[in-house]
Each structure stands twice: as C-alpha cells, then as structure tokens.
Amino acid sequence: MLINSDSFFICPTAILTVLTTIEDMRRYTADKKRQGHTVGLVPTMGYLHEGHASLIRLARDHADSVVTSVFVNPTQFAPNEDFSRYPRDLERDLVLAREAGADVVFAPTVAEMYPDGFATSVQVQSISLPFEGISRPTHFEGVATVVTKFFNIVGSDIAVFGRKDYQQCVVVRQFVRDLNIPVKIVIAPTVREVDGLAMSSRNIYLSPEARKSATILYRALQETRQCIESGETHRATLERVLAATINREPQAQIDYAAAADADTLAQPDNFAPGQQIVLLLAVRFGSTRLIDNTVVAVPPEVQ
Ligand code: AMP
C-alpha cells in the first residue's frame, strides 16, 4: 500500500485518487464534467464497512465516477459525544473504497473544511426536531452544514445515503429541496450482520456481551413489523411492543423507540390503511448508542 505526496494511492488492481484540498476536489469534478462524465458522491465518516461499500457500489450504478468523502465532522458531535475516540483508519478505508469501486477518496482536514472565521450553518426546522433532534440537539445542524459543503465542493450529480440513518435521509432530502441544490439523492438499504445487527462503525465499541444483546434491536423491529402486518395500527401499542421487546435485554437502555409516518415523521394516534410507517430506535448498550429502523406498510383496508 502506498500513499505518495501526489495524492495517488496505488493498489494492485487499480488507481484510487486521494484528494485532501477543496481546490483539487473541484478540479477533479470539473475535468470529469468536461469529459461528459457524471459524478456520484458517498459522504462518510470513514472506518468503512460493508454498509459503506454497498453505497459506493450503488453510486457506481448511477454515475460514471464515484467520490467517497472520509471526514469525521466535528460539528455534528456534541462536546460530550465520541468525536475524539470515533474510530479512524484511512489506509484501510482506501482499500475498501477502491475495492467497492470508488475512483476518489476526498479526505480533507478539519482546518480545510472549517478555516478560521467559519460562521455559517444550515438549520432544518421541523423534521430535525424529534427523535435524534431531542437526544442530539445540534447534530443535524452539523450534518446539514457539512453535507451542503460537500455538495458545493464536489458538485456531484447524485449522492448516496444509507437508510440506516433514516432521519438523516429525511433531513438531507428536505434541505436539498429547500435550497435548490442540484443533486439527486439516492437512498440505499441497510446492510446487516448475519444476526441482524445493522453494520455501524460504532459496533466495535460493543463489549462481547453487549454485541450479543444488541441483536435485540433487529428482533424488536421484526416483531413490531409483524404486529403492523397483522393489522395493529394504534401507535402507542406499536411503541409498547417495540419497547417491551428491547427491554427483554437488561443491558439495553432505550433512548427512543417510536413509530412515525415514513415521509413526514408525524406521529398520529392511529395509522391509516396503506400508510408507510417507520419504526425508529435509538438504544444504548453501555456507553455505545446504536440506531436502527425499518419501514412497514399498513395493510390496505379489506373491502
Ligand atoms: P457514517 O460513516 O456512519 O456517517 O455513514 C456514512 C453513510 O453510510 C451514511 O449515509 C450512512 O447511512 C451509511 N451507512 C452506515 N451504515 C450503514 C449500513 N449498515 N447499511 C447501509 N448504509 C449505511
């Protein structure tokens, strides 16, 4: 493995370009566009896993060239959160990104993204406020700001996000529409371990016991899905089933376990026939906070 000063990373099968400056990143996209190529972006915080790889592969299906950003964004972490201990391994990320089909890894420094005097942020109202917004009040402002910057810097035609971060997908779609950003948002399904745990860079924090307990999240989503599919539409009942299943694991501490409209995140007392429901979870296992979700359609009314 070799990263030389000209920002090219050579791996046995292909060349991956590693860019660290905004100027180089812009030049890359401008060159591609001059050649008539489309560009896809997959924003990540690195420590890549199969979930990220699936996003890169999906981006390849939608664009001629694929850029993956690797940037642990300080502004989306609260002071008490895990910014400094968030796992990082750029060399490993480069191998995984290349193998998945990325052409470029854009890995700017914090100073490149937030130079002295930086003073702007993007705030999305309403849909940022519930769920993650309650537990992490400044999180989506940090996400919306950095993703807007990436859209402006990379100038990609499409960008791929994982449904794993469900509310984030809703927030990104909202500000792209509101701010008329010319990028098409593509949403990728959640990639899971064989026992159902959603892949996450944070899973490495879990102790072996907590790792075992964490499979309860997927089971709780599946059990509640079955309730909806067998006709239960009362929100409080669905949320009780979600919470009761998770509470079977003594290590699990629920932050939220909610059912909401999949498009608007509204929380009616009862869901209507045919309505798409998203089940949203945030649960702590020790000091590790995991999120997961699934979307279920209420059965249509039987005539
Ligand atoms: P992160 O590096 O955690 O910020 O994630 C970067 C992108 O990868 C986001 O769009 C996530 O939703 C997506 N992602 C993370 N984990 C998964 C997963 N298990 N399956 C699919 N996408 C994922």
Side-chain angles (χ1 to χ4, degrees), residues 43-46 49 51-52 54-55 86 160-165 168 188-191 198-201:
T44 81
M45 296 205 299
H49 51 66
H52 299 111
S54 74
L55 268 54
Y86 194 85
V160 183
F161 292 83
R163 186 173 295 140
K164 153 84 168 34
D165 294 87
Q168 172 171 283
T190 301
V191 177
M199 289 191 182
S200 164
S201 309

Side-chain angles (χ1 to χ4, degrees), residues 233-236 239 259-261 264-272 275:
T233 56
H234 187 226
R235 182 168 59 84
E239 292 178 347
D261 179 89
T264 61
L265 303 186
Q267 295 181 279
D269 290 342
N270 281 289
F271 294 101
Q275 191 168 1

Side-chain angles (χ1 to χ4, degrees), residues 35 50 134 138 154 159 164 252 254 272:
Q35 294 163 31
E50 186 49 35
I134 293 170
T138 56
V154 179
K164 153 84 168 34
I254 298 176

Side-chain angles (χ1 to χ4, degrees), residues 259-294:
D261 179 89
D263 291 326
T264 61
L265 303 186
Q267 295 181 279
D269 290 342
N270 281 289
F271 294 101
Q275 191 168 1
Q276 298 277 334
I277 301 178
V278 62
L279 303 173
L280 294 160
L281 297 179
V283 178
R284 281 176 208 283
F285 294 86
S287 58
T288 306
R289 182 175 180 278
L290 301 180
I291 58 170
D292 202 350
N293 68 82
T294 196

Side-chain angles (χ1 to χ4, degrees), residues 16-17 19 25 40-46 48 52 55-57 59 65-71 93-94 96-98 100-108 150 154:
L16 175 73
T17 304
L19 303 175
M25 186 65 251
L41 169 66
V42 179
T44 81
M45 296 205 299
L48 303 182
H52 299 111
L55 268 54
I56 294 170
R57 285 193 291 269
S65 301
V66 174
V67 176
T68 302
S69 58
V70 172
F71 181 64
D93 288 346
L94 300 183
L96 200 143
R98 180 62 250 178
D103 300 292
V104 173
V105 166
F106 177 49
F150 279 129
V154 179

